[in-house]
């Protein structure tokens, strides 16, 4: 335990806050009832807890409780939003707009919908990771039924201009969905101010439990229609059947509540830590900062390192810091990140990149330690690679 690396992968998941665990515990054992059991006290207790949590989550985003549909996480919420809207609005139009840098939980359902006859426009991004609003406007068509643009990117932390996108969509009467898995509890989100019609949420990126999330579905101005993707007991007004997990729901709400309570102070603290890390690393030559410099999650730093091998870099950092690379490794191949490629980064730089996800439980001392280790790893890799290539040249001659 004690010699595990420092955890800096908060975009993948976050450790659960003890305060969240504490409010969840009674709902596993003592208050175990099914919130749908309306005939006895066990059910009522659970129902009250779910009701309070639903209200809390609704308040957090400027919604009403009836507009919150619990799901198993943001992947399911994205699937429900995209497939549910596509199916319900099938006769009105079959064109969807999204962005090249979206999470695979948006891109893959879109690809699937293409096989069913939908047309999908994947908007490119500018070198800073932001979409061009003029390009969005130009992509809108009379048969466009949905625009899906994420709130905060999971790799480069870039925050898309949700309010501006929402205004465009509302004016054209096109539904606007946002994947806010990385945003909830970390940046202000308001479905009214931002004209958001559907929003995917998850608990485990904001110090809550894994396996719980929600889809916000607007009920008025306009009322969004959604075809259920999971059928059964009729929970969540028939939109998402399945017994509700009271402990997870209670924990989800607590996690978001804590996030919002501490949003201002924590954003400042994380920003400071990130800037410390970047200031230390940018002392080196040929280090690139990926994504917009300021319009990003405060705890995110994503860099590309010229002249080093990406996997060697990660290997060198492995014992110091738990970070993620800019490449997605499946068991069969290593591919450079689609997000970094979309920024126009050459393939070599997309490979040799590191994502630092700083979070609530990281200290300044930890960041300093990681900065030093990263610098020495890069320096030693560059030294050995220069020697390597020189001796290779020597042999050739
Ligand atoms: C983590 C993440 C998801 C998936 O969320 P789960 O709750 O793990 O299913 C979707 N979108 C983004 C942007 C994410 O960061």
């Amino acid at each position: 335990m004690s010699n595990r690396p420092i955890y800096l992968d908060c975009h993948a998941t976050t450790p659960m806050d003890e305060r969240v665990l504490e409010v969840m515990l009674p709902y596993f054992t003592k208050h175990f009832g099914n919130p749908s059991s309306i005939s006895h006290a066990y059910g009522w207790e659970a129902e009250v807890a779910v009701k309070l949590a639903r209200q809390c989550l609704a308040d957090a985003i400027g919604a009403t409780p009836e507009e919150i549909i619990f799901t198993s996480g943001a992947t399911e919420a994205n699937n429900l939003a995209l497939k549910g809207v596509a199916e319900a609005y099938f006769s009105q139009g079959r064109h969807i707009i999204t962005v090249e840098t979206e999470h695979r939980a948006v891109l893959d359902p879109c690809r699937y919908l293409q096989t069913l006859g939908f047309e999908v426009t994947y908007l490119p991004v500018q070198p800073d990771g932001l979409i061009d609003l003029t390009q969005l406007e130009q992509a809108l068509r009379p048969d466009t039924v949905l625009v899906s643009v994420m709130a905060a990117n999971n790799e480069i932390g870039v925050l898309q201009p949700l309010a501006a996108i929402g205004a465009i969509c509302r004016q054209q009467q096109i539904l606007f969905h946002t994947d806010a898995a990385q945003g909830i509890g970390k940046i202000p989100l308001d479905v009214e101010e931002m004209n958001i019609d559907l929003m995917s949420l998850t608990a485990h990126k904001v110090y809550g439990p894994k396996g719980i999330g929600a889809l916000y579905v607007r009920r008025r101005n306009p009322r969004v229609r959604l075809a259920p993707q999971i059928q059964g007991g009729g929970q969540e007004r028939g939109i998402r059947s399945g017994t509700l997990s009271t402990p997870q729901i209670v924990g989800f709400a607590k996690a978001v509540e804590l996030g919002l309570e501490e949003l201002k102070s924590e954003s400042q603290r994380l920003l400071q830590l990130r800037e410390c890390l970047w200031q230390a690393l940018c002392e080196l030559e040929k280090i690139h900062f990926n994504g917009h410099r300021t319009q990003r999650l405060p705890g995110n730093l994503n860099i590309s390192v010229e002249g080093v091998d990406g996997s060697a870099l990660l290997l060198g950092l492995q014992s110091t810091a738990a970070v993620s690379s800019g490449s997605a490794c499946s068991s069969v191949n290593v591919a450079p990140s689609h997000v970094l490629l979309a920024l126009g980064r050459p393939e070599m730089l997309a490979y040799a990149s590191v994502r630092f996800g700083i979070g609530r439980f990281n200290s300044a001392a930890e960041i300093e330690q990681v900065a030093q280790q990263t610098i020495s790893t890069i320096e030693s890799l560059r030294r050995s690679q220069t020697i390597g290539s020189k001796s290779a040249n020597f042999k050739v001659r």
Side-chain angles (χ1 to χ4, degrees):
M1 278 294 279
S2 58
N3 55 10
R4 283 200 306 176
I6 295 163
Y7 190 78
L8 283 179
D9 203 11
C10 284
H11 304 296
T13 194
T14 53
M16 208 164 73
D17 194 302
E18 297 279 350
R19 294 169 291 180
V20 172
L21 178 64
E22 205 171 298
V23 299
M24 289 172 68
L25 286 175
Y27 292 94
F28 285 105
T29 48
K30 191 162 182 234
H31 308 298
F32 61 87
N34 185 330
S36 302
S37 300
I38 52 166
S39 56
H40 52 70
Y42 297 87
W44 303 335
E45 287 165 6
E47 190 202 4
V48 168
V50 168
K51 194 176 168 194
L52 289 173
R54 201 188 292 279
Q55 181 72 57
C56 171
L57 289 164
D59 289 345
I61 57 168
T64 62
E66 307 78 49
E67 295 175 315
I68 303 293
I69 304 293
F70 287 111
T71 65
S72 62
T75 300
E76 190 194 326
N78 286 341
N79 273 266
L80 176 57
L82 292 156
K83 295 175 188 170
V85 164
E87 200 180 324
Y89 292 82
F90 192 67
S91 57
Q92 269 151 271
R94 293 172 199 180
H95 179 234
I96 293 170
I97 298 174
T98 187
V99 184
E100 284 178 359
T101 52
E102 291 289 312
H103 192 274
R104 281 194 56 190
V106 165
L107 295 177
D108 285 6
C110 283
R111 299 241 158 80
Y112 168 75
L113 287 170
Q114 284 177 284
T115 70
L116 299 185
F118 286 85
E119 272 186 72
V120 181
T121 300
Y122 299 91
L123 292 175
V125 294
Q126 305 172 92
D128 60 10
L130 291 170
I131 63 163
D132 178 341
L133 293 172
T134 316
Q135 272 181 338
L136 169 64
E137 279 177 316
Q138 284 166 353
L140 296 172
R141 309 193 320 210
D143 63 340
T144 308
V145 288
L146 183 70
V147 169
S148 180
V149 181
M150 73 201 316
N153 188 276
N154 49 296
E155 289 189 35
I156 52 175
V158 164
L159 309 177
Q160 296 291 355
L162 295 188
I165 298 166
I168 292 169
C169 293
R170 181 55 50 89
Q171 205 222 340
Q172 303 284 325
Q173 298 192 347
I174 293 168
L175 296 178
F176 174 35
H177 165 251
T178 186
D179 173 354
Q182 298 285 347
I184 183 71
K186 298 187 193 136
I187 55 168
L189 292 167
D190 188 305
V191 296
E192 288 305 323
E193 274 173 31
M194 296 170 165
N195 287 306
I196 294 166
D197 299 311
L198 300 119
M199 179 155 64
S200 301
L201 308 174
T202 191
H204 77 99
K205 309 274 172 81
V206 61
Y207 315 98
K210 294 172 188 46
I212 187 72
L215 181 65
Y216 156 77
V217 186
R218 179 175 287 281
R219 291 255 282 173
R220 46 194 292 270
N221 307 321
R223 182 186 181 94
V224 176
R225 288 182 286 123
L226 214 52
Q229 302 299 307
I230 295 182
Q231 285 141 340
Q235 290 89 348
E236 302 300 83
R237 293 182 296 108
I239 294 175
R240 201 281 193 179
S241 286
T243 301
L244 292 176
S245 173
T246 316
Q248 284 174 299
I249 288 170
V250 167
F252 181 16
K254 182 68 179 178
V256 169
E257 189 180 67
L258 289 172
L260 290 185
E261 263 172 34
E262 298 169 5
L263 192 141
K264 248 195 171 157
S265 56
E266 184 62 2
S267 299
Q268 278 174 3
R269 194 186 72 89
L270 290 176
L271 184 64
Q272 247 171 16
L273 294 181
R274 185 197 65 214
E275 287 306 307
C276 277
L277 185 54
W278 172 240
Q279 289 316 322
L281 298 181
C282 74
E283 291 285 318
L284 292 168
E285 280 174 18
K286 296 180 178 168
I287 303 275
H288 304 270
F289 186 101
N290 292 321
H292 195 280
R293 190 67 183 84
T294 54
Q295 200 167 323
R296 64 193 294 125
L297 290 171
N300 175 285
L301 177 65
N302 190 311
I303 59 164
S304 287
V305 185
E306 254 183 75
V308 304
D309 176 63
S311 47
L313 177 58
L314 279 193
L315 212 64
L317 288 176
Q318 218 168 53
S319 60
T320 310
V323 291
S324 159
S325 75
S327 42
C329 313
S330 69
S331 51
V332 279
N333 63 352
V334 182
S337 142
H338 71 282
V339 175
L340 296 179
L341 292 179
L343 301 186
R345 287 284 184 227
E347 210 160 292
M348 276 318 292
L349 280 184
Y351 271 117
S353 68
V354 184
R355 173 184 75 179
F356 298 94
I358 310 167
R360 184 177 289 168
F361 303 111
N362 291 123
S363 66
E366 285 179 334
I367 298 303
E368 208 167 295
Q369 194 185 331
V370 169
Q372 279 167 14
Q373 181 63 31
T374 309
I375 290 169
S376 63
T377 303
I378 293 171
E379 280 176 337
S380 87
L381 281 175
R382 280 179 174 166
R383 235 177 287 130
S384 68
Q385 278 168 15
T386 322
I387 295 165
S389 64
K390 270 181 190 154
S391 57
N393 286 344
F394 184 70
K395 269 182 210 156
V396 172
R397 279 177 203 164

